[in-house]
Amino acid sequence: MTLKDQIDIHRLPRHIAIIMDGNGRWAQEKGQDRLYGHFHGVESVRNIVEGCAELGIEYLTLYAFSTENWDRPANEVTGLMELLVETIRNEVPTLNKNNIRLHVIGDMSMLPEYAQKALEEALSLTSHNTGLNLVMALSYSSRWELVNAVKKIAEDVQAGKVDAASINQDTLQKYLVTSELPDPELMIRTSGEYRISNFLLYQLAYAELYFTSTRWPDFRKEHLYEAILDFQKRERRFGKTSDQLQDEIPVNV
Ligand code: IPE
Ligand code: IPE
Ligand code: MG
């Protein structure tokens, strides 16, 4: 039985989030420039987006560029930004063919104008699609997102639109850039690093975390299936006891 066949399609994570890490080291290990790694990372993006769409995953969030990544050497930042924008632009026909809707989260004001325009175009050209939601985290960091949300809530409190005493988790959710997305249930990080690096800190509260030493440019559907199978073996307790969960399992399904 193939790995894919072993996956229980009735217990798929609705939302998978991936920290696509290890491009630079992958290239350097081959005696190449870091940008060579980013270039090959695009192949993995295509393969994994296709894999998620085939399985029927509803949301896939890819961490492509963090707020902190702006501090990398200028040639890497420029090269990476051009690659990301060009790729998104070129992939629009394929996204449409596969009914995939593109979303972008992050501080778009940091992006050069040509990039903002290209992204807006791609967002609008795929906005009618109803299959996989592909969320690109670009110039994104959780702390940026949370500070931004707090600022907007404070403004609305001041304007009398929000009552400070009634602020709860639902209120905060509405002010996050992920307000329309369910929380990720599975978070994958490639390249052997065991950290979150400012990615969806609030939303990952109960996500299952999966770390693999595979560098992102080597990551393919088979690796994704392994992560999903691992996810399906876990007991997600959400603070309850294992016994409580057994009691909750409905009979006859
Ligand atoms: C991930 O690969 C892509 C981005 C962060 C943009 P890296 O560029 O971080 O590669 P490593 O971690 O240095 O190998
Ligand atoms: C996280 O990777 C950001 C992306 C994958 C886009 P980094 O390579 O920037 O993270 P650190 O610096 O190793 O924590
Ligand atoms: Mg890295």
Side-chain angles (χ1 to χ4, degrees), residues 19-21 63-66 69 72 189 193 195 197:
I19 302 181
M20 309 185 287
D21 196 20
Y63 201 10
F65 195 90
S66 74
N69 289 149
R72 290 191 178 192
R189 182 170 188 152
E193 306 297 349
R195 53 178 174 265
S197 301

Side-chain angles (χ1 to χ4, degrees), residues 20-26 34 38 64-65 69 72 76 80:
M20 309 185 287
D21 196 20
N23 296 352
R25 277 165 287 164
W26 182 88
R34 293 176 57 84
H38 298 313
F65 195 90
N69 289 149
R72 290 191 178 192
E76 183 170 345
L80 193 49

Side-chain angles (χ1 to χ4, degrees), residues 18-45 62-65 69 72 76 79-81 83-84 87 136 189-193 212-220:
I18 307 184
I19 302 181
M20 309 185 287
D21 196 20
N23 296 352
R25 277 165 287 164
W26 182 88
Q28 283 165 335
E29 282 154 10
K30 294 183 159 37
Q32 301 282 345
D33 189 64
R34 293 176 57 84
L35 277 172
Y36 179 79
H38 298 313
F39 185 75
H40 279 273
V42 173
E43 274 309 307
S44 306
V45 171
L62 298 177
Y63 201 10
F65 195 90
N69 289 149
R72 290 191 178 192
E76 183 170 345
L80 193 49
M81 207 36 72
L83 177 68
L84 286 167
T87 302
M136 297 299 292
R189 182 170 188 152
T190 59
S191 93
E193 306 297 349
T212 168
S213 59
T214 305
R215 310 270 197 236
W216 178 251
D218 287 329
F219 196 85
R220 289 291 180 275

Side-chain angles (χ1 to χ4, degrees), residues 29-177:
E29 282 154 10
K30 294 183 159 37
Q32 301 282 345
D33 189 64
R34 293 176 57 84
L35 277 172
Y36 179 79
H38 298 313
F39 185 75
H40 279 273
V42 173
E43 274 309 307
S44 306
V45 171
R46 283 204 193 94
N47 190 271
I48 296 310
V49 169
E50 191 181 276
C52 284
E54 284 166 359
L55 281 173
I57 301 290
E58 289 177 66
Y59 298 87
L60 171 66
T61 298
L62 298 177
Y63 201 10
F65 195 90
S66 74
T67 310
E68 288 77 19
N69 289 149
W70 287 113
D71 295 331
R72 290 191 178 192
N75 74 318
E76 183 170 345
V77 170
T78 314
L80 193 49
M81 207 36 72
E82 281 171 7
L83 177 68
L84 286 167
V85 173
E86 271 316 296
T87 302
I88 289 173
R89 206 206 299 262
N90 293 339
E91 290 298 310
V92 167
T94 312
L95 295 176
N96 281 336
K97 198 176 112 220
N98 296 315
N99 198 21
I100 299 170
R101 181 172 180 182
L102 181 73
H103 306 258
V104 181
I105 55 170
D107 185 359
M108 291 305 117
S109 71
M110 299 275 288
L111 295 173
E113 206 161 318
Y114 82 90
Q116 293 187 28
K117 257 200 176 145
L119 287 174
E120 268 162 34
E121 223 173 87
L123 291 177
S124 116
L125 287 170
T126 64
S127 60
H128 56 279
N129 294 334
T130 54
L132 173 70
N133 287 283
L134 172 61
V135 185
M136 297 299 292
L138 251 184
S139 186
Y140 172 87
S141 82
S142 237
R143 288 185 178 179
W144 163 80
E145 177 186 34
L146 291 169
V147 167
N148 216 34
V150 169
K151 258 192 214 158
K152 285 197 207 136
I153 294 174
E155 280 165 17
D156 285 352
V157 168
Q158 209 163 28
K161 291 187 206 158
V162 171
D163 169 26
S166 66
I167 293 173
N168 56 23
Q169 292 186 17
D170 291 339
T171 322
L172 181 54
Q173 172 74 20
K174 284 192 200 115
Y175 287 82
L176 297 175
V177 290

Side-chain angles (χ1 to χ4, degrees), residues 174-213:
K174 284 192 200 115
Y175 287 82
L176 297 175
V177 290
T178 55
S179 58
E180 303 294 319
L181 317 174
D183 286 345
E185 288 159 286
L186 170 61
M187 195 288 285
I188 300 171
R189 182 170 188 152
T190 59
S191 93
E193 306 297 349
Y194 298 88
R195 53 178 174 265
I196 308 282
S197 301
N198 221 347
F199 185 47
L200 302 173
L201 300 178
Y202 184 81
Q203 297 85 340
L204 292 176
Y206 270 103
E208 295 299 326
L209 308 182
Y210 180 88
F211 298 95
T212 168
S213 59

